[in-house]
Amino acid sequence: MGMSINTNVSSLTAQRSSSKVQDQLSTSMARLSSGLRINSAKDDAAGLAISERFSTQIRGLNQAARNANDAISLAQTAEGALASVGDNLQRIRELSVQSANATNSASDRAALQAEASQLVAEVQRVGTQTAFNGINLLDGSFTSKAFQVGANAGETISIASIQDARTSSLGSHTLTTNGTVVGTTVTGSASNNGIGAETNLTLTTSAGTSSAISYGANAGADAIASAINTAGANVGVTATASNSAVLDQLSGPGTISFTLGAGATAVSAVVADQNDLSSLVSAINGVAGTTGITASFTSTSAKNSITLSTTDGRNIGLGAFANSTAGNDTVRFGGQTLTEGGTVAAIKTGTVSLSSTKGALSVGSSNADVFNATNSSFSSLAAIDLSTAAGATSALSVIDSALSQVNSGRADLGAVQNRFSSTISSLQTTSENLSASRSRIQDADFASETASLSRAQVLQQAATAMVAQANQLPQQVLSLLRG
């Protein structure tokens, strides 16, 4: 290679190496000072895009966790207010039980009503004024709310509604069967009551619709209530069956015999006086374990009338009525006259009372022999009156329904709080794992980077020295000129 002074290739090479090492040194220092492996897109274009997507998800998840915590706070506020409402309702119920007692005078009941009125007013205040961040919770306006609990659109938890705690909304939504057969006595058979088979009874409340409820032909109120309770729990509907029938107006004394209940259990008793049915009461109660039917005197002042009752609302069927004395003796059962040698059987069907903890109740696709009215009636807490014994007794069912509504509302809020807590745990776990993934892409490895820095520093010093050496090479040409 010739000797020249216009172009110092060695110096250029050393400068290029020095510049390259300077870039490496700058990169290492940037990574060590920031803690990040990627400080600009040129460091790792694909890695930057991936880590930014991770950052989007992580920040969204962290905010979603905060959202869920806020939702828990909201639910706790509502649940705490409902607990206060429940305490007031318990006291109102206590006052109702006290007012129903015959030992109270009119002035006593007036005082009880005065306290109850104040408690009802407090329930109303809580229902209308309970709020979270300016949002009313218990006045019926909190419906169809979605809580953002994910980093992306549509990742929500929805609350259909929070229990309306106003006194005009708390109370009993009831519907009692009043069809052509229920609650009536049908003669001619002790087992066939004339109720047709049902295959598509529907119940609708604010919680939704439960359909395809079925029961068989000649079903008793107990079977109807059982079918409704099985299918209606998910829409807040419960059913209670009851049945009783009066047996009276026995035409004469003698040995009275008949069959009772679904199993046609034989009952027989000697009645010396048709105005004293004590022996018949004993005979019926003697087989109550088999029939599920008990007997008691209709009135404590007379023994010529007895009431047959069931605890589950089953059919009360009486068949093969007979009297040992001559003649076509008669007896009245459930308002229908049975005649020895003629119509000797009848069956009394019970009634079913439906109550809803999820607002108004309606019944659809039902047979008219069970349901005629298809919409529930409502008795509100605001209308209770403890100033009379009858009013206090009526108030108990209203308060019980209100308590059931409040307890159901609290249970719903408790369930959603647990769901939000579980969601927060899941969000935190996901955020942690995504952060670890982003770290592997974005964060600097200090062990590696300090080694790179030391290497770059040594190379930088060496390159600087070589530039200096290369710059001295043209000086050799001077020796040629001097010669």
Side-chain angles (χ1 to χ4, degrees), residues 213-420:
I213 302 171
S214 62
Y215 51 83
N218 300 309
D222 57 332
I224 297 171
S226 177
I228 291 173
N229 283 330
T230 299
N234 62 328
V235 292
V237 175
T238 56
T240 304
S242 61
N243 195 11
S244 65
V246 175
L247 186 67
D248 61 359
Q249 296 186 9
L250 182 63
S251 60
T255 301
I256 308 301
S257 62
F258 49 81
T259 62
L260 191 63
T265 302
V267 176
S268 178
V270 176
V271 178
D273 181 354
Q274 67 268 32
N275 291 318
D276 185 358
L277 303 182
S278 300
S279 59
L280 199 55
V281 169
S282 298
I284 293 171
N285 289 334
V287 295
T290 302
T291 64
I293 299 169
T294 59
S296 60
F297 290 114
T298 305
S299 171
T300 57
S301 60
K303 296 183 178 183
N304 61 347
S305 174
I306 61 177
T307 298
L308 307 182
S309 305
T310 68
T311 58
D312 58 4
R314 68 183 66 186
N315 290 329
I316 301 176
L318 189 149
F321 166 70
N323 190 337
S324 62
T325 59
N328 295 326
D329 287 299
T330 61
V331 70
R332 189 171 67 174
F333 170 72
Q336 300 292 329
T337 300
L338 304 183
T339 304
E340 185 181 12
T343 301
V344 296
I347 184 169
K348 170 72 185 307
T349 305
T351 59
V352 180
S353 177
L354 280 62
S355 62
S356 166
T357 60
K358 299 295 183 180
L361 162 67
S362 62
V363 177
S365 304
S366 60
N367 291 336
D369 50 23
V370 177
F371 291 99
N372 266 338
T374 57
N375 294 311
S376 62
S377 60
F378 179 64
S379 299
S380 73
L381 180 67
I384 64 169
D385 182 8
L386 310 187
S387 60
T388 65
T393 300
S394 298
L396 288 173
S397 61
V398 175
I399 298 167
D400 285 342
S401 294
L403 278 167
S404 181
Q405 289 173 265
V406 169
N407 292 337
S408 178
R410 292 183 66 185
D412 290 342
L413 288 170
V416 81
Q417 286 179 57
N418 289 336
R419 183 179 180 185
F420 280 126

